[in-house]
């Protein structure tokens, strides 16, 4: 009898606990018709719904992510991954010699996997959870709590897991850009170790400072930012950090065997052109996607990206034609990538005229950086990562401070960029704030990369043996060949 009573009581208790666990919370006050219409307007305008405010008394019938904005951001995420795999891999792969093409592809793939692991474990949290002005916290480690609900700190209509994957693609391509400066002579293991440490010391802190909601240099969204700079899609975070780090690493490695003595022409301009085209297409996700919604700001970024890229490509090739008598495919490709780099921090903040100005400057300045600086200083930046990404990214960050206007982006209203126009550019404070961000970025990237690179060089070794370099990295580092001709 006692046993039966015990079983009955246990079953009853279990039923009550189960009911308590599955019971839904008492619904709040239903939204009025006016509030429901306002929520729809907020969705169309990519702004906050009524229930997103801290003192909201009513719920929303649109409580999760918005399908249109979410769909665009998933597409943009795929486009940014497309930039690295296969875009950057083929662009860089075509520019190296035939015996090293697979080494570039393997490094791109290896970095993609390594960074994805770091991003899942702690990287996303260190960048996009609240913490200090320098680095985020541990709220989202192992992507805990990163689900289909939006994170209102960054977007009201995009699922946080989609946002996290979008930002992962940025984290992947940034260190992959460094490959270009050290191609054909760095050890595969050394590259992975360098990138793993570099992500914690350079990328995660810099991305938080620029894009984190409480970041030190987030001049748009953090009212307490000490440096009120702006960077729409990654001029400082992506291009400057990778480009300046690449210069340091290629200096630590030294030049390739036969540099300035042997012809080291690209083995396939066809692959280079295909890769450059993929980068251009994928960059729409990079730039227009940084609006974090399918809205007017994304449309402006799409427009300015197109104009600046096309004009920079044409400018670079025409400079070649004027100075050398031939406009090369490599020139068109290099100009396009330079245009994409320089417009990146500005694309959501400048108008079409600003984009045209950026396109012309982007085609000219990196051209001279790639054709003159290397011959003056004799550094072996194999695929011009420094000339395009460091010089171009620095140029773009500064020009953003000159050309940004609140007319095309209402988020700049109330910031130092609100009254920024060409007419008062020399007296306006924004370009000074951009210079501060440029200085901090260069100092962090150069200093940290020098330390990390030196440690890796001492304990692991950065460079492959001379006999391996002569034979090629593909067969020695990866046991494969890019091209096998039979018969």
């Amino acid at each position: 009898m006692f046993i039966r009573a015990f079983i009955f009581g246990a079953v009853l208790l279990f039923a009550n606990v189960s009911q308590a666990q599955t019971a839904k919370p008492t619904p709040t006050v239903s939204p009025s018709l006016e509030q429901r219409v306002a929520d729809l307007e907020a969705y169309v305008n990519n702004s906050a719904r009524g229930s997103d405010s801290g003192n909201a008394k009513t719920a929303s019938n649109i409580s999760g992510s918005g399908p249109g904005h979410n769909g665009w951001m998933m597409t943009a995420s795929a486009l940014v991954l497309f930039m690295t795999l296969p875009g950057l891999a083929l662009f860089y792969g075509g520019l190296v010699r035939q015996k090293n093409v697979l080494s570039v592809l393997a490094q791109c793939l290896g970095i993609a996997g390594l960074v994805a692991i770091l991003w899942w474990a702690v990287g996303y949290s260190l960048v996009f959870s609240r913490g200090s002005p320098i680095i985020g916290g541990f709220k989202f480690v192992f992507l805990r709590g990163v689900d289909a609900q939006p994170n209102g700190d960054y977007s009201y209509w995009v699922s946080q897991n989609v946002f996290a994957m979008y930002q992962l693609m940025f984290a992947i391509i940034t260190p992959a850009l460094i490959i270009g400066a050290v191609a054909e002579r760095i050890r595969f293991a050394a590259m992975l170790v360098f990138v793993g440490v570099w992500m914690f010391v350079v990328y995660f802190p810099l991305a938080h400072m620029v894009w984190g909601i409480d970041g030190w240099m987030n001049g748009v969204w953090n009212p307490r930012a000490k440096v009120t700079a702006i960077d729409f899609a990654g001029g400082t975070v992506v291009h400057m950090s990778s480009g300046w780090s690449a210069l340091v690493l290629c200096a630590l490695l030294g030049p390739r065997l036969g540099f300035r003595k042997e012809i080291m022409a690209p083995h396939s301009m066809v692959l280079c052109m295909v890769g450059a085209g993929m980068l251009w297409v994928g960059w729409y996700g990079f730039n227009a996607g940084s609006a974090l919604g399918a809205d007017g700001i994304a449309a402006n970024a799409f427009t300015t990206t197109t104009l600046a890229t096309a004009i920079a490509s044409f400018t670079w090739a025409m400079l070649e034609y004027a100075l050398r008598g031939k406009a090369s495919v490599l020139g068109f490709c290099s100009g396009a990538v330079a245009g994409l780099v320089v417009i990146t921090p500005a694309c959501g903040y400048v108008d079409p005229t600003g984009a045209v100005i950026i396109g012309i400057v982007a085609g000219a300045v990196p051209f001279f950086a790639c054709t003159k600086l290397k011959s003056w200083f004799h550094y072996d930046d194999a695929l011009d990562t420094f000339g395009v990404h460091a010089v171009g990214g620095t140029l773009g960050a500064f020009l953003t401070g000159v050309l940004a206007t609140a007319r095309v982006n209402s988020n700049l209203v109330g910031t130092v960029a609100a009254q920024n126009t060409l007419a008062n550019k020399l007296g306006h404070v924004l370009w000074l704030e951009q210079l501060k961000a440029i200085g901090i970025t260069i100092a962090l990237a150069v200093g940290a990369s020098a330390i990390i690179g030196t440690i890796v060089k001492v304990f692991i070794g950065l460079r492959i043996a001379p006999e391996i370099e002569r034979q090629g990295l593909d067969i020695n580092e990866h046991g494969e060949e890019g091209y096998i001709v039979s018969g």
Side-chain angles (χ1 to χ4, degrees), residues 252-306:
L252 287 172
L253 274 170
R256 290 166 290 177
L257 296 177
F259 178 63
R260 296 177 62 84
K261 298 177 182 177
E262 302 174 6
I263 296 176
M264 298 181 179
H267 90 279
S268 176
M269 280 310 305
V270 173
L271 288 184
C272 176
M273 166 55 195
V274 171
M278 290 176 173
L279 282 168
W280 189 339
V281 172
W283 223 293
Y284 288 113
F286 198 91
N287 284 0
S290 291
L292 301 181
D295 59 9
I297 296 174
N300 186 78
F302 188 97
T303 300
T304 56
T305 297
T306 304

Side-chain angles (χ1 to χ4, degrees), residues 35 39 48-63:
Q35 290 169 314
D39 282 352
R49 55 174 79 72
S51 61
D52 290 321
S53 63
N55 57 355
K57 302 297 183 183
T58 60
S60 173
N61 286 353
I62 317 175
S63 58

Side-chain angles (χ1 to χ4, degrees), residues 326-344:
K326 293 181 175 63
S328 69
V329 171
L330 178 58
F332 279 112
C333 292
S334 299
V337 174
L340 290 162
V341 169
V342 179
I343 193 62
T344 289

Side-chain angles (χ1 to χ4, degrees), residues 41-327:
E41 290 177 344
Y43 171 67
V44 172
N45 293 322
N46 195 20
S47 58
R49 55 174 79 72
S51 61
D52 290 321
S53 63
N55 57 355
K57 302 297 183 183
T58 60
S60 173
N61 286 353
I62 317 175
S63 58
S65 58
H69 299 306
N70 232 24
W72 162 236
M73 290 310 300
M74 285 187 280
T75 302
S77 300
L79 285 170
V80 181
L81 179 61
F82 186 66
M83 290 173 63
T84 306
L85 302 171
L88 184 70
L90 293 181
F91 179 66
Y92 278 174
L95 290 174
V96 299
R97 288 168 289 180
Q98 179 176 321
K99 61 184 179 181
N100 297 316
V101 59
L102 292 184
S103 68
V104 171
L105 274 59
Q107 288 168 20
C108 286
L109 288 164
I111 288 172
L114 173 62
V115 172
I117 294 170
L118 298 179
W119 196 249
W120 161 77
V122 70
Y124 173 74
S125 188
L126 291 177
V127 176
F128 290 107
S129 70
R130 291 175 179 262
S132 72
I134 305 299
I135 194 71
F138 297 99
K139 179 179 180 181
F140 300 127
V141 293
F142 305 115
L143 296 185
R144 183 179 59 219
V146 179
D147 53 24
Q149 292 301 310
N151 179 347
D153 283 345
Y154 302 101
S155 175
Y156 295 108
W157 297 103
V158 177
S159 297
Q160 188 175 193
N161 50 16
V162 173
F163 174 75
M165 292 302 98
Y166 177 69
Q167 294 296 340
L168 167 61
M169 306 315 172
F170 280 68
I172 286 172
I173 196 170
T174 302
L177 294 172
I178 298 174
I179 294 170
V182 297
E184 302 194 293
R185 63 200 189 278
I186 193 169
R187 295 179 61 205
F188 180 70
M191 172 59 79
L192 292 183
V193 173
F194 177 86
V195 167
V197 180
W198 187 87
M199 293 298 293
F200 283 96
V201 181
V202 177
Y203 186 83
F204 295 157
L206 185 59
H208 180 78
M209 284 190 281
V210 175
W211 291 331
I213 191 65
D214 52 357
W216 191 31
M217 298 190 287
N218 189 340
V220 177
W221 301 110
N222 181 13
R224 299 184 181 88
K226 298 301 182 183
V227 179
T228 53
I230 60 177
D231 185 347
F232 190 77
T236 53
V237 178
V238 177
H239 300 294
M240 285 189 63
S241 68
S242 61
W244 285 98
S245 296
L247 178 66
V248 172
L249 196 56
C250 85
L252 287 172
L253 274 170
R256 290 166 290 177
L257 296 177
F259 178 63
R260 296 177 62 84
K261 298 177 182 177
E262 302 174 6
I263 296 176
M264 298 181 179
H267 90 279
S268 176
M269 280 310 305
V270 173
L271 288 184
C272 176
M273 166 55 195
V274 171
M278 290 176 173
L279 282 168
W280 189 339
V281 172
W283 223 293
Y284 288 113
F286 198 91
N287 284 0
S290 291
L292 301 181
D295 59 9
I297 296 174
N300 186 78
F302 188 97
T303 300
T304 56
T305 297
T306 304
L307 289 172
T309 306
I311 292 169
S313 177
F314 185 77
T315 300
W316 188 305
M318 291 305 102
L319 283 171
E320 283 188 331
Y321 190 77
L323 297 175
R324 300 174 180 174
K326 293 181 175 63

Side-chain angles (χ1 to χ4, degrees), residues 13-37:
L13 177 63
F14 177 78
N16 289 335
V17 171
S18 299
Q19 184 178 5
Q21 290 176 339
T22 58
K24 296 181 179 180
T26 303
T28 58
V29 178
S30 298
S32 65
L33 178 61
E34 290 78 8
Q35 290 169 314
R36 293 168 67 183
V37 172

